[in-house]
Amino acid sequence: MRHLVIAVISLSLTGCGVVYHPSAVRPGVSQQAKVRIEPITANTLMAANAAPYTPRRLPAAFNRTAGLGAGSIAAIAPPVAALERPTRPETPARHLPPPLPARPYKIGVGDVVLLATPASSPTADPASAGAARTSRQGYRVQDDGTISIPNVGRIAIAGLTVGDAEARVFKSFLDTQIDPAFSLEIAEFNARKVTIGGAVGAPSVVPVTLQPLYLDAALAAVGGTGAVDPASASVRLYRDGTLYQVPLSDVYQNRGAARLQLAPGDSLFVDAGFDLDRAEAYFRQQITLAQFKQSERGARLDALSQAVALRRAELTEARETFATRLTLGAEARDYVYLTGEVRTPARYPLPFEQTASLADALYDAGGGIPVARANPKEIYVLRGSDHPMEYDAVTAWHLDARNAAALVLATRFELRPGDVIFVAAQPVANWSNVIDGLTPSLLNSSLRAATN
């Protein structure tokens, strides 16, 4: 009975003229084109990829930032020229300050000095005799730069080194006929400080003591830089009206940058991602509090802020305009086309600034190769000739993927604008398409004829 049904269906197809014509790539010369089939192998892959092609580039607005360039704020003019940056924003510019000369610490307002003098009264307790031999008293340096010692008076020591201050106190003791047996040291360092903010664990101030304060130690004192990318982060140092910049990667890798000595009054800002709004707010605060009281410098910083905002708005508008034009199809794009037995016949846009492979198009835009319908033996990339006298010449680059290892070649085969990717159907799929073309009434009539 099964053979009879098949025979009836075949006769019905012949009588009704139902014929399925599958697409295929055939070599030779036809009315449309001259087709030459070339297998894709490790040897021919280089020839296929040798076709000249330069991927389209994104507009320049995508390769620029509104970042603050290194250099002096006072020298920022004009704003547009000052905001020019390298083409790789992830590598901040390096602009280190000159080395600091070796200078001893000078006592300042707010420091607490400690005077250790012999005890005025003996003690009968041997256990506490050692502690009673000296009396230690701390004195804070007042706003006028002096300390006030009972029975001695006010002594000006601000701006003096520890040795010079000790000599002046010694003289004052002698002038008041007091035993000058004492020692002087600094108990609290409050006058000389470095301010640190930005992407650090705990933004605060770090005192400058008798020992030099280096950049790595200062960052460690505020909890480190946290989870930031050293390749794009930088440490901005403001000193004496000049802005310097140290890439954070230099701090981690270059011992010279890590051992950069800081000076009292320095302001540091760790910029983790070119967040200039935070940097601007930080430096504005420093200007308001201590460093920038001159109106001219404030006006220049305002001009810099406005220039950065205008630059950022210009770049944002240019990028949004490009994205809108791209969506509306107003920007030129390069495409390849997928047809045949792919899951989704489509027009695949080639990416900007890089090439795409045959595998990219098949498994991205085409959705992969359907095993039930596609013939892995017959995968083609049809590429026309660019020569004016050979517009009808087509090279069909043929990939036989019956061995799945051949798909590695698909990841290395570079596509060119106008390529057509064609996947042929399996023979069983051709027969399925024939069956799908029959109407239910034709099948029913054929079956009734067979049973009668």
Side-chain angles (χ1 to χ4, degrees), residues 266-283:
D266 282 354
S267 294
L268 299 178
F269 186 89
V270 179
D271 184 0
F274 305 97
D275 189 352
L276 297 181
D277 290 333
R278 294 173 59 191
E280 176 197 346
Y282 177 79
F283 287 124

Side-chain angles (χ1 to χ4, degrees), residues 8-204:
V8 171
I9 292 175
S10 300
L11 291 174
S12 300
L13 291 176
T14 305
C16 297
V18 179
V19 180
Y20 175 72
H21 297 283
S23 298
V25 176
R26 298 179 177 86
V29 179
S30 65
Q31 294 180 350
Q32 291 84 13
K34 303 173 183 177
V35 181
R36 177 172 59 92
I37 298 179
E38 289 286 349
I40 299 178
T41 65
N43 295 327
T44 62
L45 192 63
M46 183 178 299
N49 293 341
Y53 170 58
T54 302
R56 294 185 182 273
R57 299 190 60 82
L58 287 170
F62 286 89
N63 295 318
R64 296 177 182 172
T65 68
L68 176 64
S72 172
I73 289 181
I76 297 179
V80 174
L83 293 174
E84 289 294 330
R85 292 183 61 84
T87 57
R88 294 189 59 187
E90 68 274 12
T91 305
R94 182 184 298 103
H95 183 60
L96 302 180
L100 293 175
R103 290 178 294 189
Y105 183 86
K106 293 185 178 181
I107 300 172
V109 174
D111 285 344
V112 176
V113 297
L114 193 65
L115 291 179
T117 59
S120 58
S121 60
T123 177
D125 185 5
S128 60
R133 290 194 185 99
T134 60
S135 174
R136 302 169 67 86
Q137 180 66 44
Y139 300 94
R140 184 177 299 274
V141 181
Q142 304 301 314
D143 292 341
D144 59 354
T146 65
I147 58 175
S148 180
I149 302 177
N151 301 324
V152 176
R154 306 183 73 85
I155 305 174
I157 63 172
L160 301 180
T161 64
V162 174
D164 292 341
E166 194 171 42
R168 181 166 294 184
V169 173
F170 181 86
K171 183 178 182 303
S172 298
F173 275 35
L174 290 178
D175 292 342
T176 55
Q177 297 182 353
I178 296 177
D179 182 9
F182 71 93
S183 64
L184 183 147
E185 61 184 72
I186 301 177
E188 296 182 16
F189 297 87
N190 299 314
R192 317 296 181 186
K193 300 177 181 179
V194 171
T195 307
I196 305 177
V200 294
S204 61

Side-chain angles (χ1 to χ4, degrees), residues 134-403:
T134 60
S135 174
R136 302 169 67 86
Q137 180 66 44
Y139 300 94
R140 184 177 299 274
V141 181
Q142 304 301 314
D143 292 341
D144 59 354
T146 65
I147 58 175
S148 180
I149 302 177
N151 301 324
V152 176
R154 306 183 73 85
I155 305 174
I157 63 172
L160 301 180
T161 64
V162 174
D164 292 341
E166 194 171 42
R168 181 166 294 184
V169 173
F170 181 86
K171 183 178 182 303
S172 298
F173 275 35
L174 290 178
D175 292 342
T176 55
Q177 297 182 353
I178 296 177
D179 182 9
F182 71 93
S183 64
L184 183 147
E185 61 184 72
I186 301 177
E188 296 182 16
F189 297 87
N190 299 314
R192 317 296 181 186
K193 300 177 181 179
V194 171
T195 307
I196 305 177
V200 294
S204 61
V205 294
V206 177
V208 178
T209 64
L210 297 177
Q211 300 299 323
L213 178 62
Y214 297 103
L215 178 58
D216 55 351
L219 293 177
V222 293
T225 56
V228 299
D229 182 10
S232 61
S234 62
V235 180
R236 304 185 191 279
L237 167 63
Y238 193 86
R239 176 185 295 172
D240 297 332
T242 302
L243 187 64
Y244 302 96
Q245 182 169 267
V246 182
L248 193 58
S249 59
D250 281 9
V251 179
Y252 289 154
Q253 301 173 7
N254 186 335
R255 190 62 179 171
R259 301 299 290 175
L260 174 67
Q261 184 177 352
L262 302 180
D266 282 354
S267 294
L268 299 178
F269 186 89
V270 179
D271 184 0
F274 305 97
D275 189 352
L276 297 181
D277 290 333
R278 294 173 59 191
E280 176 197 346
Y282 177 79
F283 287 124
R284 185 184 294 277
Q285 177 183 4
Q286 299 306 303
I287 293 172
T288 305
L289 294 177
Q291 299 296 327
F292 311 122
K293 296 182 179 180
Q294 299 180 6
S295 60
E296 180 181 5
R297 291 184 178 179
R300 287 173 179 172
L301 187 61
D302 289 339
L304 174 62
S305 173
Q306 295 173 7
V308 169
L310 290 174
R311 179 70 166 176
R312 182 180 293 113
E314 177 186 352
L315 293 177
T316 301
E317 181 180 9
R319 294 167 184 173
E320 291 177 350
T321 299
F322 175 78
T324 302
R325 288 176 56 85
L326 200 62
T327 302
L328 298 176
E331 290 289 339
R333 291 295 302 269
D334 293 328
Y335 297 93
V336 298
Y337 304 87
L338 292 96
T339 185
E341 297 301 328
V342 293
R343 296 188 188 278
T344 307
R347 183 179 68 168
Y348 174 63
L350 294 179
F352 289 95
E353 301 186 359
Q354 60 181 341
T355 59
S357 68
L358 172 58
D360 291 334
L362 285 175
Y363 292 95
D364 187 358
I369 302 174
V371 178
R373 303 196 320 267
N375 186 355
K377 179 184 177 182
E378 303 291 337
I379 301 176
Y380 296 91
V381 178
L382 307 178
R383 181 173 298 172
S385 173
D386 293 332
H387 196 281
M389 302 302 294
E390 297 180 352
Y391 278 157
D392 59 345
V394 175
T395 301
W397 294 98
H398 174 217
L399 178 67
D400 185 351
R402 287 177 296 179
N403 183 350

